[in-house]
Amino acid sequence: MASNVEQNPENHTKLHSPRRESTSENAVLDGNSPADAVSIDALPDIVDVVMAMGRQAERALEPEAAIASDGNPSPTLPSVDVMPAGGLVGQLGDLAERARGYVEAASSANTRRAYGADWKHFSDWARRQGFATMPPDPETVGLYITALASGAGGGDKKSVSTIERRLSSLAWNYAQRGAEKLDRKHRAIATVMAGIRNAHARPPRQKEAILPEDLMAMLETLERGTLRGLRDRAMLLLGFTGALRRSEIVGLDCGRDQTEDGRGWIEIFPGKGILVTLRGKTGWREVEIGRGSADITCPVVALETWLSLARIGHGPLFRRITGEGKKVGTERLNDQEVARLVKRTALAAGVRGDLTEAERTRLFAGHSLRAGLASSAEVEERYVQKQLGHASAEMTRKYQRRRDRFRINLTKASGL
């Protein structure tokens, strides 16, 4: 990569181009086009930045005559031992790799994938309309969110939450490209967005909570005599009792500092429970999972059984099963597997059987486990808030699907 950067400086992205490049009478929002026709500005590579710094450093060390402020050549610099260019590049290359790792650690893989897809969607739309993506233009972005909200060009109308996420994504992408800041307070964006909220805002659709009786029915659909059944059982019970996100469930290791992609680890205390240390959306936190009242529903028993029979003592906690269900692999499960597991077992157990299968499929996801614990744990709210890792009680209340909303009656308290 270093040689490519050195030999092809013209390949660097140009940040300034005409705002309107061409006109298109038949431009649409979601049309199909050949892949080679798509023009997407790639994120600036950290290696490019470091290499540029290296070239500047090398030029500064060269014993060339410079022109002094009075117009006369300055004296030749004395001969010094200069580090060979290859050594300097080698050191910078190592720093570049480390910097790239820190850049990736700044956000989750899911976030980066979503932001990348959002930028591609915006870039494709701008190209079809004949607009340049750089530099950031509030009026162009205002037209883009108008197209999203109205379904212009035959596309689906996007929800307010989706549009707001797209705006955040565009701001992030522009910042990563070193462009000037996208002014979201500009009237072309802020006023249009206010109108979209007033016209299209709807109450949020929350995922259905998996309650204890639902979970027990779901567990009964799993085969106890198979490795896959034991693994899925442990995942459901650990996710429910720990109120864990799906990425937190599959990101766990058997111990601390065992894998590079791990996001936490477990410690089993015999006779007491499991201490889960994990890095979530709000930073590092500890989650305590106690033993159940019966072995059949105890998350500790389920996890110990899975680890014992799967012969796992190091590395990822939950892994893929191969060889017709008889062999445990080394690869960590994808977090999508948790959502699929919840949907599959909820349907098999007949949870919310009063609804159609399509409606039930949309209702259940990985968050159903977190909402289930928040809705069913009969303890003080602050303990539930701590378990979920929320910064505010208000956020925790959004997860409590069947809490007593009328426990505090202001009507009677006022004397009526």
Side-chain angles (χ1 to χ4, degrees):
M1 175 175 286
S3 60
N4 291 338
V5 173
E6 193 69 44
Q7 297 173 8
N8 300 298
E10 68 275 13
N11 289 340
H12 288 287
T13 303
K14 295 182 179 180
L15 296 183
H16 298 285
S17 58
R19 227 169 246 179
R20 184 79 182 183
E21 299 175 336
S22 63
T23 58
S24 176
E25 296 178 356
N26 300 318
V28 293
L29 180 62
D30 292 313
N32 296 322
S33 59
D36 57 356
V38 178
S39 175
I40 304 172
D41 298 328
L43 283 173
D45 198 312
I46 189 67
V47 173
D48 296 353
V49 178
V50 175
M51 286 299 299
M53 295 167 57
R55 288 194 296 273
Q56 292 176 0
E58 290 172 352
R59 285 195 296 269
L61 293 174
E62 289 177 358
E64 295 180 349
I67 303 300
S69 59
D70 59 0
N72 297 319
S74 62
T76 302
L77 293 175
S79 176
V80 294
D81 293 331
V82 180
M83 181 184 295
L88 181 63
V89 172
Q91 284 190 350
L92 292 173
D94 181 62
L95 287 175
E97 289 300 321
R98 292 174 181 269
R100 183 183 289 109
Y102 288 134
V103 169
E104 293 180 353
S107 57
S108 69
N110 286 340
T111 299
R112 292 194 300 274
R113 280 195 295 268
Y115 281 1
D118 290 343
W119 179 258
K120 182 180 185 304
H121 189 275
F122 171 67
S123 299
D124 289 347
W125 175 86
R127 176 181 53 80
R128 289 192 295 269
Q129 307 303 321
F131 292 116
T133 58
M134 303 291 280
D137 179 21
E139 293 183 356
T140 298
V141 175
L143 291 175
Y144 174 63
I145 62 177
T146 299
L148 294 177
S150 61
D156 296 334
K157 296 180 180 180
K158 303 302 181 183
S159 66
V160 174
S161 60
T162 297
I163 297 173
E164 288 177 336
R165 192 204 72 194
R166 292 273 176 93
L167 278 176
S168 298
S169 177
L170 291 181
W172 183 88
N173 274 283
Y174 277 123
Q176 297 306 305
R177 286 165 171 75
E180 60 185 76
K181 183 178 180 181
L182 175 63
D183 185 8
R184 294 180 59 175
K185 294 183 179 180
H186 190 283
R187 60 184 179 84
I189 297 177
T191 306
V192 172
M193 197 64 224
I196 291 174
R197 291 191 188 97
N198 289 337
H200 301 294
R202 298 288 184 274
R205 292 185 177 181
Q206 297 177 318
K207 295 300 181 181
E208 186 80 3
I210 295 295
L211 302 176
E213 55 270 24
D214 301 327
L215 181 61
M216 287 187 281
M218 292 162 61
L219 294 174
E220 289 300 318
T221 68
L222 301 174
E223 298 182 35
R224 300 183 187 178
T226 65
L227 287 172
R228 183 171 284 104
L230 293 174
R231 181 201 66 188
D232 292 350
R233 188 181 190 87
M235 287 173 61
L236 287 176
L237 283 168
L238 197 70
F240 180 90
T241 56
L244 305 180
R245 299 176 178 89
R246 65 189 191 190
S247 60
E248 295 172 345
I249 296 173
V250 300
L252 291 174
D253 289 339
C254 295
R256 181 172 186 164
D257 299 330
Q258 292 185 348
T259 64
E260 293 184 358
D261 62 339
R263 301 186 64 83
W265 65 90
I266 64 164
E267 296 176 75
I268 299 179
F269 293 82
K272 294 185 177 180
I274 306 171
L275 177 63
V276 180
T277 304
L278 52 86
R279 182 178 63 212
K281 295 176 66 175
T282 57
W284 286 98
R285 78 177 195 275
E286 291 183 343
V287 176
E288 300 166 357
I289 301 177
R291 301 186 69 90
S293 56
D295 286 353
I296 195 172
T297 58
C298 177
V300 183
V301 172
L303 185 60
E304 288 178 329
T305 303
W306 156 246
L307 293 177
S308 175
L309 296 182
R311 298 180 180 180
I312 297 176
H314 187 276
L317 204 60
F318 297 113
R319 312 177 181 189
R320 297 192 177 279
I321 296 176
T322 60
E324 298 181 353
K326 298 180 180 179
K327 184 179 178 180
V328 179
T330 59
E331 294 182 1
R332 187 186 307 279
L333 278 182
N334 185 284
D335 63 349
Q336 292 288 342
E337 294 295 333
V338 178
R340 296 189 188 104
L341 172 62
V342 172
K343 291 178 184 291
R344 184 175 66 250
T345 53
L347 289 174
V351 181
R352 288 303 306 271
D354 56 311
L355 303 175
T356 66
E357 183 172 329
E359 291 173 327
R360 293 159 65 199
T361 301
R362 288 193 297 268
L363 276 179
F364 297 106
H367 257 55
S368 298
L369 298 175
R370 282 168 61 81
L373 181 80
S375 302
S376 56
E378 299 293 339
V379 295
E380 291 184 36
E381 191 176 73
R382 58 191 177 98
Y383 294 115
V384 179
Q385 179 182 341
K386 180 179 181 297
Q387 192 81 343
L388 271 68
H390 288 155
S392 67
E394 184 61 32
M395 178 59 70
T396 301
R397 295 188 189 104
K398 294 180 180 179
Y399 282 74
Q400 296 173 322
R401 304 292 192 263
R402 63 178 188 183
R403 64 186 176 87
D404 186 359
R405 297 179 179 273
F406 301 99
R407 182 173 57 86
I408 300 176
N409 190 332
L410 294 180
T411 305
K412 290 182 178 180
S414 66
L416 297 180

